[in-house]
Amino acid sequence: VKKSNLGRLARLALAAVLAIALAAVASACGEKRSTEGAAATQTAAADERLKITYIPKNLGNPYFDAVVDGLRRAAESENYDLEVVGPAQAGATDQISYIDAAVQQRVDAIAISPNDPDAVAPSLQKAMAAGIKVVSVNSDMNPKGRQVAILPTDFSRLGAFLVELQGSVQGDRGKFAILSATSTAPDQNAWIEGVRAELESNHRYADLELVDVVYGDDEPDKSFTQTKALLTKHKDLQGILSPTTVGVAAAAQYISGTPQKGRLALTGLGTPDQMRKFIDDGTVEKFALWDPAAEGDIAGRLMAGMARGTLTGRPGETFEGPDGQLEITPEGQVITGPPVEFTKANIDDFHF
Ligand code: RAM
């Protein structure tokens, strides 16, 4: 064998070894891919304990703690372990690393309260491609990123509801501003749009004027400062509507220490536990919310059913919720329930 042939043989041998190695890697990948593919259609056994991850907008917000209570309630009957992870702040891209980590851990399902309708969608698409069930909780998002969206209430009616609430505390007239959460929050933005539509279309509110929308980012300090700034900027402001539990509590905190207490018409969506003292001291006459735990409970039942293959998560499907039958709408949404108004008369009946 000539030297040159030796070299050629060596190269051939190396190529063969490489080919075998590559084939092995490819087959391993193929196996992995087919496992994933199988997971995408196959389901967990009826008695298997599932792993579910919930990613709230941010940690430390009592509203999402109540959603977690509902998810934990469902965990008992649905037999799953729940992990709650999320960012400290509710920025548009802050949840992505938590989604990716849940995919790495091969959880059975992910529930997320998205901080942005699109930013989280690509990571959630990867999760679904790996066979993980994905539901959006508290708002919808880009439908490519989720299978079902659990809405806390009927979004098509909430705008009118909030205007009626605001109108009722300021006599359907005068200027008011909105103190929202983050500027990208899909739930908040849908509701603000609904408020504007109602103001424009309903003659009853011809004298009620929305003059500003500001963002407290669901941070108490920033929401407090934004309230103060609103009152400085608009000397004739008569009301503030804050459709976020963090915002309305922080605004009440600020207003309660000013001569505007009891005069400025402040209302919004708050938790009874955070707002009780402001109802008691007259800073707020009334506010509203639904039961955040109910949507957590619904999400838990739905995800477990989808992971076990007893539910598909497709439009038109019905399933048993905590308070009766629920149906997935043609848009792939599940609507939890109507809002409740809280006043001095009933607030002590509610604890969350
Ligand atoms: C806040 C969040 C959430 C909203 C509730 C009412 O905690 O911003 O988006 O639904 O309040």
Side-chain angles (χ1 to χ4, degrees), residues 78 148 150 297-303 305-306 310-314 316-329 333-335:
E78 302 293 337
V148 187
I150 318 293
D297 196 332
I298 293 168
R301 288 164 190 247
L302 188 59
M303 286 186 287
M306 287 161 67
T310 52
L311 294 173
T312 64
R314 293 207 193 97
E317 185 167 60
T318 57
F319 63 100
E320 196 59 33
D323 302 308
Q325 284 280 110
L326 291 162
E327 185 171 346
I328 303 178
T329 68
Q333 301 171 338
V334 176
I335 297 168

Side-chain angles (χ1 to χ4, degrees), residues 161-178:
F161 174 86
L162 290 174
V163 175
E164 194 178 342
L165 182 67
Q166 189 63 39
S168 75
V169 292
Q170 69 177 79
D172 285 349
R173 57 193 317 112
K175 296 181 177 175
F176 76 101
I178 290 179

Side-chain angles (χ1 to χ4, degrees), residues 57-58 61-64 113-114 138-139 152 155 180-182 185 187-188 191 217-218 242-247 268-271 274 288-290 292 295:
K57 284 182 167 183
N58 57 344
N61 178 343
Y63 179 88
F64 294 107
S113 297
N138 210 51
S139 72
F155 279 24
S180 181
T182 58
D187 47 7
Q188 297 282 321
W191 305 339
D217 292 348
D218 270 350
S242 187
T244 137
T245 57
V246 178
L269 300 175
T271 64
Q274 286 175 287
L289 197 67
W290 40 78
E295 59 175 329

